[in-house]
Amino acid sequence: MDRIYGEMAIISGTANPPLAEEICRYLGVEPVAADVFQFPNENIFCKLHQSVRAKDVFVIQPTCSPVNKNIMELLIMIDCLRRDSAGRITAVVPYYAYGRTDKKDQPRVPITARLLADLITVAGADRFLTVDLHAKQIQGFFTIPVDELTALYMFVDYFAQKRLSHPVIIAPDIGAIRRARNCAERLGAPLAIIEKRRALDGKHTDMFNLIGDVNGHPAIIVDDEVDTAETLTRAVRFLHERGAKEVYACATHAILSGAAADRIRESGLTELVVTNTVYISPEKMERMAGRITVLSIAPLLGEVIRRIHEGVSVGELFDE
Amino acid sequence: MDRIYGEMAIISGTANPPLAEEICRYLGVEPVAADVFQFPNENIFCKLHQSVRAKDVFVIQPTCSPVNKNIMELLIMIDCLRRDSAGRITAVVPYYAYGRTDKKDQPRVPITARLLADLITVAGADRFLTVDLHAKQIQGFFTIPVDELTALYMFVDYFAQKRLSHPVIIAPDIGAIRRARNCAERLGAPLAIIEKRRALDGKHTDMFNLIGDVNGHPAIIVDDEVDTAETLTRAVRFLHERGAKEVYACATHAILSGAAADRIRESGLTELVVTNTVYISPEKMERMAGRITVLSIAPLLGEVIRRIHEGVSVGELFDE
Amino acid sequence: MDRIYGEMAIISGTANPPLAEEICRYLGVEPVAADVFQFPNENIFCKLHQSVRAKDVFVIQPTCSPVNKNIMELLIMIDCLRRDSAGRITAVVPYYAYGRTDKKDQPRVPITARLLADLITVAGADRFLTVDLHAKQIQGFFTIPVDELTALYMFVDYFAQKRLSHPVIIAPDIGAIRRARNCAERLGAPLAIIEKRRALDGKHTDMFNLIGDVNGHPAIIVDDEVDTAETLTRAVRFLHERGAKEVYACATHAILSGAAADRIRESGLTELVVTNTVYISPEKMERMAGRITVLSIAPLLGEVIRRIHEGVSVGELFDE
Amino acid sequence: MDRIYGEMAIISGTANPPLAEEICRYLGVEPVAADVFQFPNENIFCKLHQSVRAKDVFVIQPTCSPVNKNIMELLIMIDCLRRDSAGRITAVVPYYAYGRTDKKDQPRVPITARLLADLITVAGADRFLTVDLHAKQIQGFFTIPVDELTALYMFVDYFAQKRLSHPVIIAPDIGAIRRARNCAERLGAPLAIIEKRRALDGKHTDMFNLIGDVNGHPAIIVDDEVDTAETLTRAVRFLHERGAKEVYACATHAILSGAAADRIRESGLTELVVTNTVYISPEKMERMAGRITVLSIAPLLGEVIRRIHEGVSVGELFDE
Amino acid sequence: MDRIYGEMAIISGTANPPLAEEICRYLGVEPVAADVFQFPNENIFCKLHQSVRAKDVFVIQPTCSPVNKNIMELLIMIDCLRRDSAGRITAVVPYYAYGRTDKKDQPRVPITARLLADLITVAGADRFLTVDLHAKQIQGFFTIPVDELTALYMFVDYFAQKRLSHPVIIAPDIGAIRRARNCAERLGAPLAIIEKRRALDGKHTDMFNLIGDVNGHPAIIVDDEVDTAETLTRAVRFLHERGAKEVYACATHAILSGAAADRIRESGLTELVVTNTVYISPEKMERMAGRITVLSIAPLLGEVIRRIHEGVSVGELFDE
Amino acid sequence: MDRIYGEMAIISGTANPPLAEEICRYLGVEPVAADVFQFPNENIFCKLHQSVRAKDVFVIQPTCSPVNKNIMELLIMIDCLRRDSAGRITAVVPYYAYGRTDKKDQPRVPITARLLADLITVAGADRFLTVDLHAKQIQGFFTIPVDELTALYMFVDYFAQKRLSHPVIIAPDIGAIRRARNCAERLGAPLAIIEKRRALDGKHTDMFNLIGDVNGHPAIIVDDEVDTAETLTRAVRFLHERGAKEVYACATHAILSGAAADRIRESGLTELVVTNTVYISPEKMERMAGRITVLSIAPLLGEVIRRIHEGVSVGELFDE
C-alpha cells in the first residue's frame, strides 16, 4: 500500500477505556502512551509520553457520563495533539451527547448539538467518526468530513437469528420512527407507533396512543438510546396492556442514567440489546442481569478506522 | 422607540414580487428602488437606485423556481447590499430549497441544505428569516440567528373553522409525522400514518400501509410542501380506498412542479390549502380552480420583520 | 514517482461533458462514475457511484450556460466530494462566469466575481484551475492557490502559421488592450484600439474611435470572450470602414448568447478562432459554418492536471 | 445618554448566583428569567423565559467548581443567547479556569487557556470581562475585546489600612513575582521571593530558598489564587522558620480545592484575604472561620458592566 | 440626527499628519490624543491617551514612505483600537501601497495587494476608505465594505478651468488607459496611448509607440501615481518628439521616490498636478518648485467621513 | 523513509542570509533560487526562480532590523509560496520581534505579539519555528503548530565548561526570572534578582534593589535579548557595586540597537555570549571585539528542520 498519511496512532480518553483497548486489539496496535487526568482543581491535563508528529491519530472518546468533563477532555486532547503536530486528527466519538438538542422546537433555547460540532472543529479535529446520531441532520452540523456508522444491522441480525414469530417493530415515540421503520423493513415486519399527546390545557397528564396493532405478537422496541428508561419501561407496560406477547428492545447507546438499571430489571422486558459505545459499569450490569445483552461495536469501529487510515472506501463495508 | 438599527429597508428579488409588495403594504414602506436582471449571457446583475448605507435591510427572496437562478440572485443581492454598507442584512427566504437534502441517508451524497446556509452566510447575511423548513434541524446549519415561522397555526385555524366531523390527520409519509402530530394535537384529532415500504429485492414496486384508521372519517393530509403532487395524489387514492369520506390537504409551500396542477385537479382531493411563500402563476391557479385555497403569509412575515427591526420579541407573537 | 497525493480522479458536471471526456482520454483515466441530475423541483442532486476517499479529485465544470445552474451544480459536487472525504479537490472551471462583475465601476453594485470565489472556497475546493480570466486580478479574489492557463499562445501559433501580410492586432475595447498587446508583441505586429465614448448628455448614441491605423492591412481582433457578438460584429464593420483588408478574430470563450451565431455568420468576419472551454452545440456550429474554428484546450488542461497531481511545476510548461 | 446598544440584560449561570445577585443589586436590574439545569443524562439545558432580542447581555459565570460543567454551561448559554438574537453578548467570567495551562513548558501538552478562549469565541461571545488572569498574556489569546479587572488595589487598600509595621511582600513562587512586586511598589514595602528548585536527579525532594529577607517583619504573601493551599501553607511555615513575625496572605480567587480549608485553618496564617469571584460554601467558610476575609468584587464588576454598556471608559475608573 | 454609531473619533498615524489635521479641521473635531512611536529596537508602539470605547473611529494612514513601517503602524493601531473596544474602525488609507502587485502577471510571484487587504481585515478594521486604487478590482480583495474616492473630478475641473486649446489626453502606458479614457470623456478630448513593447530577444531596449496623434496639441498625461517619474519624464520627451505643444500631467499619488523630484524639475513638463494623499516634504516641493501643483483631497475625505459616520449616502456626493 | 511531505526546500529572506546559508550547509541542500528585493518605492517584491509546487518549504527570516520591513518581507514571501502551491510552509523566525508587546500591562495599548501571529497565519504559514520567545505564552497566540527551541542549553554548556568558582545567576529584571532560574537550576548555582522599583510620585528616578547576594562571586546575567544594552550595562555596574568579582552575560538575541555595541565595550562586562539568530554586522562585532562570543544556532535549527520534514519527534532531540 502507498503511504498517504503518517503512521496510525490510537489514543483514548478516560470515557471508555475498554472500548479503546478492544479497538486497539482489533487493529493490532498499542495505544499512544499518555497521561490524561484531573488536577485537584478539576482542571484536566493531558501529557503525551511519545510524539505524534505527522501521525494519523484517532482519539477515542464517547461523550458519555461524566458528559461535560468528557467533552472538555476530548477538546483538550485534540488541542494537545494538534500542538504536537499530529498529521491528521480524527475524533472518534461513538456516542454523541446533546444529540437531542439539535433544533429549536421551542423559542429561546440553544442548539447544543451544533455548538458541540463547532467546539470539536475549533479545537482542531480534521475528521469525525461516530455511531448512530440522534438525527442524521447532525452530520450537517459539521463541515469536516463525518463517518456515521450504525448498529442497526447488528440488531437486525441479532433478532433475525432469534426467529421470533411475526414480531411487530415498535417506535416508542415520534422521533424513533425512521429508525424503527428501517429495522421493520429489513426484518419484513410491520411497524407500530406509540404517540404521546400533550394535554394542552396543561392540567391533565399526557396521553398515549398506539398507532398500529401489536395484539398477540412479540414486540421489538427500537430506539437510539436508553437514558432514564422511563420511556422504555412505560412502553413495555403499554405494549403488554395492548396484548403484546413479549417485549424486546434494542438501542445503540446504553446511557442508563438515574434509576434506569432498576427500572429495566423490573420492567417486564424480556431482553434489552445494546452496544458498548458507552461504558456500562459491572455494578450496573449486575443490576440488569439476565435482561441486557451487549453487542460489541469495537470490530466495526476498528475496521472503519483501518479504512479511513488506508484511504479506502468505508461505504463498501456496508455494501451500499 | 429608541433607534438601535438604521432605518428599515425592504428589497425584493425576482422570485416572488407580489409577496414582497404585500409585505411592503403591511409595513407601509416603499421597497428599495433597484434593477435586478440578467444579461444576455445569463449573468445576474443588481444595481440599487438608492443608497442602503447603515440601513436595516430585508431581502425577500424565496428560492422557488427557477431555483438555482433565484439562489444566485439572492447571494448577489446580499453581496451588493453589503458592499453598499448596509447596516444589517436579513435574508428573508420564505421557501428554503434543497431542504430535503439535509442529511446523508445514503453514502456519497451532498448535504446541500447545509451548503446553502454557508453560501448565504459567506455572501454577507447577518440574519435569516424563513417559513416551515423541511426539518427543524436546518436551523442548526446556520450560525447567524434564524427566525423560523410556521403556517401551521393558520392551517389549524382554517380547518377548525370548517368544523369537519371527527377528522383524522394524515402524515403522508414518515418525514411528515411530526408536523401532522402537531396539527392533530391542536385540532384534538387522531393521527394516521401512510408508510411506504421499499421492495428490498428491487424488483417489485413499493408497498403502502396505513398505520391507524380513517374509515368513515374526513381526512386532512398535512405536509410541508407539495412538489410534483405524486405523493399527495397517491395518498388521496389510498385514503379513499381505506374508506375516508373526503380528503383535504394542507402544505406551506406550493412548489407544484411538473404536472402537479393537473394531478391535483384530477385527484379527487376536496381542497388543498397552501400559502403564498412560493409564487403560483395565474395559469397554474386556473388549472387547479376550485381545488386550491391560498392563505397569505405576508401579514405574518411583515409583523415579524417589524419586530426584528424594532428589536422586540418575535416569540411573544405566538404566545410561546 | 513518490506518492504525495492520493490517486487521481476526474469527475465532470453536466456543463461540458465532451471536454471532460477529452481530458480523461488525454490522461488515460476513466471518470468517476456518478449521477448528477435535477429533480422535478429543479434541485440538483449528486450521487457518486464509487468512493473518492483520499483521492486527488478534479471536478471539471465551466460555468457556461445554464450559468447559474452550472455554478450551483459545481458547488454541490464539491460539497459531495468533501463529505465523501476526498483527499484534495481542484475545481477546474475553464470558463469563469461573472468575470466582468469584478469591480464597482459604478456605486451600489456587487462584485460577483469575488463572491463566486468565496462560494467555491466555502463549498470546499482546495485549488482552482481556470483559463483566461476576464481580468488577472480575479486570481487575487481567491486565497486557495490558482492556476490560470491561457489560450493566447495557441492563437498566436495559429495566426503565425497563417502568415498574414502585415496584420494589425485590434483591441475591440479598452478592457481588451492588455491581451491584444501581448498578442501583438508575440506576433511582432502593431496594435490599434477601438475606443467607445459614451455620449455624456445621455441623448445621443455612443461614438467609436480607432486609435491607431488599420488601412490596407488584415486585422486580428483579440478578446477574451465572444458573448452576444455585438461588440465583435460592430468592430468588424468599423474596421472594414477604416480600410481593413480582411478581419479575423480570436477569443478564448465562445459564449455565443442570443443571436450571436447568426451575427457571426453575417458579420463579414473571415474567421473566428475560439476554444472549447465552453460547450458549443452542433446546431450553433452549423449556423456559423465556415466562419468558426475551434481549437481544443483539452490537451493543455490535461497536461496541467497531470502536473498538479504529480506536484511538478506548471510554469515550466510555458517555459517561463 | 444616547442609546448605542440595546437595553442591558444580566443573566447568571449556576456557578456563582450570589455574586450575580449582588451585581444586579448594584445595577438596580432584575436578572433575565431563565431555567438553566441538567437533565438526568447530565446534558445541560437552557431556556430563557423572556426574549433578549437586541439586548446588551452580560452572562455571569466564573468557571469555578464544577469546572468543566460550568464551562459547558457558559458556552451553551452563549449559544442560546446568540440564537435568541441578543444584540451583544459579554461573557463575564470573574474566575478563568485553566489559566495555568497557558504555555507549553514541557513538550506534548495542550495550551488549554487558549483553547478556552477559542471555545468562548466560537460559541458567540462578543466581549470578555474577567478578573486577575493567571498571566496577562491570556488577554492575547482572545481576539474579541477583553476587559481584565484586578483585585490588587482592593488588597493594597485593605493592608494599607492595617498599618502593619514594615511588612515584607512575599512572592510564594516564581510565577507570582510580578503581582507581588506591584503590590510591594504600591505599599512601599520590600519584596522577597520563595524559589522552588527541582531536584534534578529526580530522587530527592524539592528545595526551597528565600531570596530576600523577612526576619522580624510581618509578611504578606501575594498570589492570584489559592487552590489546594499546599504552596500557601508551606510558604507560611517557611516564612515562620525564617523569622517572620506574622504571616498574611491575599489572593483573588479562592478555589480551595481538596483539603484547602483545613490546611488554612491549621496553617498558622494570621489572615487570608480573598474575593468572591468564586463561590465559597458556608460549610467551607465555617472551617476557615476567623482566618479568612472575603472582599466583594461585585461593586467593581457592576460598575464596569455599567460603563461597558454605556460605552464610556473603563480605564478611567482606575485613574490610569 | 438619530445616533446609530458611537461618537466620531479621528486618529492619525505618523504617515501624513498634515492631511489628518486638515481633515480634522474640516470636521471640526480634535484628533484622539495618542502616542505612536518606535522604540530603539524599531518596534512600533501605540498608546491612546483617551478611551475610544464604543466610538466610531477613523484611522488616517496612507501607506506611503516609509511604506512597510507605515503598514505595520496602521495594523498595530487598528489592533490597539479594537482592544480598546472601539465601536467601529474605518481604516482611511488615501494611498494604498502595493497596488501594482495585484495579479500574477508572471508565475511564482505574490499578490501583495490582496495580502495587504487580508492583513488590514485580520487586524480588525470594519471598513476601508481609500482614494484611486491602482486597479478597481482591488476593492474585490476586501470583504469589508470599501469606499473608493477619486481625484479625477478634481483634475478634470482643474484642467477645464485652464481652457487649453484642443488638448489630447495621454495614457502613458497600457495600465493607465481606463483612467485616461474617463478623463478624456469628461473633457471631451481625444485619447492617445503610449505603448511600450518589450524586446522579446532580451537584447535590445524597449520600444515605444504612440497610438493616436498629439502633433500640435497640448497633451495631458493621466496616471494614478508618479513614482520614480521615469515613465512620466520619458513620456514627456516622447510627446515633445511627436509634436506636442506643451505637456501637462496629473496623478493622484505623488510618491516621488528616488530622483523623481529632480527628474520632474528637468523634464520639460509644464505642470504636474497631484493631491496630498501622500506627504510631500517641503524640501521635495522646493526641488520641483513651479512645476507642481498640489490639490487638497482633505475636504473630500472629510466630507465622506462625515457621511459614513452619519450613515448617509456617499455616492450621492458624486451625483451618481 | 516513507515520503509524507513533498521534497524539502529552504528559502531565505534578506534578514539573515548567513544563518540561512549555514542551515543549508547543515542540511546539505541548495536554497530555492529567488529574487527578494525592494522597488524604488520601497515595495518589496519576491520572484521565485524555480517552482516550489508540493514542496515542504521552510522560509528563514528572523524579524530583526529593519524590523517592519523584514516582517512584511516574510509575509509577502509566504503569500508568494502559497500561491505557487507549496505543499507546506513553515515560517522559521529565529527572532520574534514585538515579543515584549505580549500583554496589556496598561490600558489602551495593542498586543502586537498576537497581531503578528495572526498576520503570519493569514498570509498562509502552516507551521511556525522559533527560538526563545520573550514569553512562552506567545506560543498560545498561534493556532498553527509551533516549535520553540531554546539556546539555554547551549549557554549552560558553555558556562559549565568555564568552571567558574561558585557563580551566581542574575535575573536583570522581573521578566527574566524564569529563564535565570532554569539556568541556575541546571548549573546548580544560586539565583539573585535585580528589581526595579518605579518612583510612584513620578518625580524621582527609578530605584534598584538586589534581591539575593552576589558579593565575592562571579555573576552571570541571563536574559532573552540584548537590545540597547542599557539594562545590561546598568546591571553590570550595579553588580560590581554589590561586590561581584566579574560579570558575564548571556542572551539569545543580539539586537544591539542604538549605541549598544559601544555600551557593551565600555561596560566592564567580562564576556557577553549570544547566538546568531539576529545578524550582527562585522562593524558591530569589531566595536565589541573581545567582549562578545557568538554561538551558532544553525545546527540546532537545521536538525529540527530535518526532523519536522521527516515527521519525527523534535522533543526527543532534547531528551525531554
Side-chain angles (χ1 to χ4, degrees), chain A residues 24-49:
Chain A
C24 284
R25 277 197 303 277
Y26 180 91
L27 291 164
V29 301
E30 285 294 307
V32 174
D35 283 333
V36 182
F37 65 96
Q38 282 186 293
F39 287 112
N41 65 0
E42 302 170 28
N43 281 206
I44 297 162
F45 195 65
C46 171
K47 163 77 182 156
L48 308 181
H49 293 170

mmCIF file of all heavy atoms in Angstrom, chain A residues 24-49:
data_model
loop_
_atom_site.group_PDB
_atom_site.id
_atom_site.type_symbol
_atom_site.label_atom_id
_atom_site.label_comp_id
_atom_site.label_asym_id
_atom_site.label_seq_id
_atom_site.Cartn_x
_atom_site.Cartn_y
_atom_site.Cartn_z
ATOM 1 N N CYS A 24 -7.965 -1.302 19.752
ATOM 2 C CA CYS A 24 -6.517 -1.482 19.551
ATOM 3 C C CYS A 24 -6.197 -2.947 19.271
ATOM 4 O O CYS A 24 -5.383 -3.260 18.400
ATOM 5 C CB CYS A 24 -5.734 -0.987 20.769
ATOM 6 S SG CYS A 24 -5.636 0.803 20.865
ATOM 7 N N ARG A 25 -6.819 -3.844 20.011
ATOM 8 C CA ARG A 25 -6.572 -5.260 19.774
ATOM 9 C C ARG A 25 -6.994 -5.642 18.357
ATOM 10 O O ARG A 25 -6.287 -6.357 17.659
ATOM 11 C CB ARG A 25 -7.344 -6.123 20.784
ATOM 12 C CG ARG A 25 -6.630 -6.272 22.118
ATOM 13 C CD ARG A 25 -7.185 -7.445 22.938
ATOM 14 N NE ARG A 25 -8.611 -7.351 23.189
ATOM 15 C CZ ARG A 25 -9.149 -6.635 24.187
ATOM 16 N NH1 ARG A 25 -8.387 -5.969 25.030
ATOM 17 N NH2 ARG A 25 -10.447 -6.611 24.348
ATOM 18 N N TYR A 26 -8.168 -5.133 17.948
ATOM 19 C CA TYR A 26 -8.630 -5.419 16.589
ATOM 20 C C TYR A 26 -7.594 -4.978 15.564
ATOM 21 O O TYR A 26 -7.316 -5.672 14.586
ATOM 22 C CB TYR A 26 -9.966 -4.722 16.314
ATOM 23 C CG TYR A 26 -10.491 -4.968 14.926
ATOM 24 C CD1 TYR A 26 -11.339 -6.039 14.656
ATOM 25 C CD2 TYR A 26 -10.114 -4.150 13.867
ATOM 26 C CE1 TYR A 26 -11.801 -6.290 13.379
ATOM 27 C CE2 TYR A 26 -10.561 -4.401 12.573
ATOM 28 C CZ TYR A 26 -11.410 -5.468 12.334
ATOM 29 O OH TYR A 26 -11.847 -5.709 11.059
ATOM 30 N N LEU A 27 -7.026 -3.800 15.793
ATOM 31 C CA LEU A 27 -6.094 -3.214 14.828
ATOM 32 C C LEU A 27 -4.669 -3.713 15.034
ATOM 33 O O LEU A 27 -3.798 -3.460 14.191
ATOM 34 C CB LEU A 27 -6.117 -1.679 14.935
ATOM 35 C CG LEU A 27 -7.416 -1.021 14.469
ATOM 36 C CD1 LEU A 27 -7.495 0.419 14.969
ATOM 37 C CD2 LEU A 27 -7.506 -1.059 12.945
ATOM 38 N N GLY A 28 -4.428 -4.367 16.170
ATOM 39 C CA GLY A 28 -3.079 -4.849 16.433
ATOM 40 C C GLY A 28 -2.077 -3.739 16.690
ATOM 41 O O GLY A 28 -0.921 -3.827 16.300
ATOM 42 N N VAL A 29 -2.527 -2.696 17.336
ATOM 43 C CA VAL A 29 -1.610 -1.597 17.660
ATOM 44 C C VAL A 29 -1.656 -1.297 19.156
ATOM 45 O O VAL A 29 -2.632 -1.605 19.834
ATOM 46 C CB VAL A 29 -1.963 -0.299 16.885
ATOM 47 C CG1 VAL A 29 -1.916 -0.531 15.387
ATOM 48 C CG2 VAL A 29 -3.330 0.241 17.304
ATOM 49 N N GLU A 30 -0.580 -0.695 19.644
ATOM 50 C CA GLU A 30 -0.542 -0.210 21.013
ATOM 51 C C GLU A 30 -1.089 1.212 21.043
ATOM 52 O O GLU A 30 -0.747 2.007 20.164
ATOM 53 C CB GLU A 30 0.905 -0.168 21.533
ATOM 54 C CG GLU A 30 1.474 -1.514 21.881
ATOM 55 C CD GLU A 30 0.740 -2.122 23.083
ATOM 56 O OE1 GLU A 30 0.639 -1.435 24.112
ATOM 57 O OE2 GLU A 30 0.251 -3.258 22.932
ATOM 58 N N PRO A 31 -1.869 1.560 22.035
ATOM 59 C CA PRO A 31 -2.307 2.965 22.119
ATOM 60 C C PRO A 31 -1.124 3.886 22.432
ATOM 61 O O PRO A 31 -0.109 3.429 22.968
ATOM 62 C CB PRO A 31 -3.309 2.963 23.265
ATOM 63 C CG PRO A 31 -2.977 1.761 24.073
ATOM 64 C CD PRO A 31 -2.418 0.742 23.117
ATOM 65 N N VAL A 32 -1.261 5.157 22.069
ATOM 66 C CA VAL A 32 -0.258 6.162 22.410
ATOM 67 C C VAL A 32 -0.185 6.289 23.926
ATOM 68 O O VAL A 32 -1.214 6.442 24.588
ATOM 69 C CB VAL A 32 -0.644 7.525 21.800
ATOM 70 C CG1 VAL A 32 0.313 8.624 22.275
ATOM 71 C CG2 VAL A 32 -0.657 7.444 20.286
ATOM 72 N N ALA A 33 1.027 6.212 24.456
ATOM 73 C CA ALA A 33 1.190 6.353 25.900
ATOM 74 C C ALA A 33 0.975 7.813 26.292
ATOM 75 O O ALA A 33 1.570 8.714 25.697
ATOM 76 C CB ALA A 33 2.595 5.902 26.301
ATOM 77 N N ALA A 34 0.137 8.024 27.262
ATOM 78 C CA ALA A 34 -0.198 9.392 27.651
ATOM 79 C C ALA A 34 -0.797 9.389 29.039
ATOM 80 O O ALA A 34 -1.366 8.390 29.487
ATOM 81 C CB ALA A 34 -1.205 9.980 26.666
ATOM 82 N N ASP A 35 -0.659 10.517 29.739
ATOM 83 C CA ASP A 35 -1.395 10.741 30.985
ATOM 84 C C ASP A 35 -2.536 11.697 30.708
ATOM 85 O O ASP A 35 -2.312 12.781 30.162
ATOM 86 C CB ASP A 35 -0.488 11.385 32.041
ATOM 87 C CG ASP A 35 0.453 10.389 32.669
ATOM 88 O OD1 ASP A 35 0.117 9.191 32.701
ATOM 89 O OD2 ASP A 35 1.541 10.805 33.112
ATOM 90 N N VAL A 36 -3.731 11.289 31.066
ATOM 91 C CA VAL A 36 -4.884 12.174 30.968
ATOM 92 C C VAL A 36 -5.551 12.130 32.336
ATOM 93 O O VAL A 36 -6.037 11.081 32.749
ATOM 94 C CB VAL A 36 -5.869 11.707 29.871
ATOM 95 C CG1 VAL A 36 -7.036 12.672 29.774
ATOM 96 C CG2 VAL A 36 -5.155 11.576 28.535
ATOM 97 N N PHE A 37 -5.546 13.260 33.032
ATOM 98 C CA PHE A 37 -6.023 13.241 34.420
ATOM 99 C C PHE A 37 -6.512 14.627 34.828
ATOM 100 O O PHE A 37 -6.368 15.588 34.068
ATOM 101 C CB PHE A 37 -4.898 12.785 35.357
ATOM 102 C CG PHE A 37 -3.744 13.749 35.389
ATOM 103 C CD1 PHE A 37 -3.638 14.716 36.383
ATOM 104 C CD2 PHE A 37 -2.768 13.716 34.398
ATOM 105 C CE1 PHE A 37 -2.584 15.615 36.397
ATOM 106 C CE2 PHE A 37 -1.709 14.614 34.407
ATOM 107 C CZ PHE A 37 -1.617 15.563 35.400
ATOM 108 N N GLN A 38 -7.106 14.708 36.013
ATOM 109 C CA GLN A 38 -7.544 15.990 36.546
ATOM 110 C C GLN A 38 -6.679 16.382 37.733
ATOM 111 O O GLN A 38 -6.366 15.549 38.580
ATOM 112 C CB GLN A 38 -9.002 15.902 37.007
ATOM 113 C CG GLN A 38 -9.985 15.958 35.843
ATOM 114 C CD GLN A 38 -11.419 16.016 36.323
ATOM 115 O OE1 GLN A 38 -11.900 15.057 36.898
ATOM 116 N NE2 GLN A 38 -12.095 17.115 36.079
ATOM 117 N N PHE A 39 -6.331 17.670 37.796
ATOM 118 C CA PHE A 39 -5.676 18.198 38.980
ATOM 119 C C PHE A 39 -6.725 18.341 40.090
ATOM 120 O O PHE A 39 -7.929 18.258 39.822
ATOM 121 C CB PHE A 39 -5.065 19.576 38.676
ATOM 122 C CG PHE A 39 -3.847 19.515 37.810
ATOM 123 C CD1 PHE A 39 -3.866 20.016 36.513
ATOM 124 C CD2 PHE A 39 -2.660 18.968 38.286
ATOM 125 C CE1 PHE A 39 -2.740 19.977 35.714
ATOM 126 C CE2 PHE A 39 -1.527 18.935 37.487
ATOM 127 C CZ PHE A 39 -1.566 19.427 36.207
ATOM 128 N N PRO A 40 -6.263 18.570 41.327
ATOM 129 C CA PRO A 40 -7.250 18.740 42.401
ATOM 130 C C PRO A 40 -8.264 19.847 42.101
ATOM 131 O O PRO A 40 -9.396 19.778 42.536
ATOM 132 C CB PRO A 40 -6.375 19.127 43.618
ATOM 133 C CG PRO A 40 -5.045 18.533 43.324
ATOM 134 C CD PRO A 40 -4.872 18.603 41.835
ATOM 135 N N ASN A 41 -7.878 20.836 41.307
ATOM 136 C CA ASN A 41 -8.832 21.907 40.977
ATOM 137 C C ASN A 41 -9.704 21.543 39.783
ATOM 138 O O ASN A 41 -10.309 22.406 39.167
ATOM 139 C CB ASN A 41 -8.099 23.229 40.727
ATOM 140 C CG ASN A 41 -7.201 23.163 39.513
ATOM 141 O OD1 ASN A 41 -7.126 22.121 38.851
ATOM 142 N ND2 ASN A 41 -6.519 24.240 39.205
ATOM 143 N N GLU A 42 -9.737 20.228 39.426
ATOM 144 C CA GLU A 42 -10.605 19.680 38.379
ATOM 145 C C GLU A 42 -10.130 20.033 36.972
ATOM 146 O O GLU A 42 -10.732 19.572 35.989
ATOM 147 C CB GLU A 42 -12.063 20.160 38.530
ATOM 148 C CG GLU A 42 -12.663 19.786 39.869
ATOM 149 C CD GLU A 42 -14.001 20.470 40.084
ATOM 150 O OE1 GLU A 42 -14.690 20.777 39.086
ATOM 151 O OE2 GLU A 42 -14.356 20.701 41.263
ATOM 152 N N ASN A 43 -9.084 20.818 36.842
ATOM 153 C CA ASN A 43 -8.542 21.120 35.513
ATOM 154 C C ASN A 43 -7.984 19.833 34.920
ATOM 155 O O ASN A 43 -7.164 19.146 35.542
ATOM 156 C CB ASN A 43 -7.429 22.168 35.588
ATOM 157 C CG ASN A 43 -7.951 23.595 35.736
ATOM 158 O OD1 ASN A 43 -7.317 24.549 35.354
ATOM 159 N ND2 ASN A 43 -9.143 23.741 36.311
ATOM 160 N N ILE A 44 -8.438 19.520 33.705
ATOM 161 C CA ILE A 44 -7.978 18.315 33.020
ATOM 162 C C ILE A 44 -6.617 18.601 32.393
ATOM 163 O O ILE A 44 -6.383 19.687 31.866
ATOM 164 C CB ILE A 44 -8.995 17.924 31.925
ATOM 165 C CG1 ILE A 44 -10.337 17.585 32.558
ATOM 166 C CG2 ILE A 44 -8.471 16.776 31.083
ATOM 167 C CD1 ILE A 44 -11.499 17.619 31.582
ATOM 168 N N PHE A 45 -5.735 17.641 32.460
ATOM 169 C CA PHE A 45 -4.429 17.828 31.831
ATOM 170 C C PHE A 45 -4.120 16.597 30.990
ATOM 171 O O PHE A 45 -4.580 15.502 31.268
ATOM 172 C CB PHE A 45 -3.342 18.036 32.881
ATOM 173 C CG PHE A 45 -2.064 18.582 32.320
ATOM 174 C CD1 PHE A 45 -2.031 19.857 31.768
ATOM 175 C CD2 PHE A 45 -0.889 17.828 32.321
ATOM 176 C CE1 PHE A 45 -0.849 20.378 31.239
ATOM 177 C CE2 PHE A 45 0.296 18.343 31.793
ATOM 178 C CZ PHE A 45 0.307 19.618 31.254
ATOM 179 N N CYS A 46 -3.338 16.829 29.978
ATOM 180 C CA CYS A 46 -3.005 15.763 29.043
ATOM 181 C C CYS A 46 -1.531 15.891 28.723
ATOM 182 O O CYS A 46 -1.057 16.986 28.379
ATOM 183 C CB CYS A 46 -3.860 15.958 27.791
ATOM 184 S SG CYS A 46 -3.408 14.900 26.432
ATOM 185 N N LYS A 47 -0.806 14.809 28.848
ATOM 186 C CA LYS A 47 0.636 14.817 28.574
ATOM 187 C C LYS A 47 0.958 13.542 27.800
ATOM 188 O O LYS A 47 0.802 12.431 28.342
ATOM 189 C CB LYS A 47 1.382 14.881 29.912
ATOM 190 C CG LYS A 47 2.843 14.493 29.889
ATOM 191 C CD LYS A 47 3.727 15.580 29.320
ATOM 192 C CE LYS A 47 5.183 15.128 29.257
ATOM 193 N NZ LYS A 47 5.960 15.846 28.258
ATOM 194 N N LEU A 48 1.352 13.713 26.552
ATOM 195 C CA LEU A 48 1.718 12.548 25.739
ATOM 196 C C LEU A 48 3.117 12.073 26.128
ATOM 197 O O LEU A 48 4.011 12.894 26.338
ATOM 198 C CB LEU A 48 1.725 12.927 24.255
ATOM 199 C CG LEU A 48 0.482 13.618 23.692
ATOM 200 C CD1 LEU A 48 0.671 13.894 22.204
ATOM 201 C CD2 LEU A 48 -0.750 12.768 23.904
ATOM 202 N N HIS A 49 3.289 10.775 26.184
ATOM 203 C CA HIS A 49 4.624 10.248 26.507
ATOM 204 C C HIS A 49 5.417 9.911 25.263
ATOM 205 O O HIS A 49 6.556 9.490 25.348
ATOM 206 C CB HIS A 49 4.490 9.039 27.426
ATOM 207 C CG HIS A 49 3.969 9.410 28.773
ATOM 208 N ND1 HIS A 49 3.575 8.514 29.713
ATOM 209 C CD2 HIS A 49 3.772 10.637 29.327
ATOM 210 C CE1 HIS A 49 3.145 9.157 30.781
ATOM 211 N NE2 HIS A 49 3.259 10.441 30.567
#
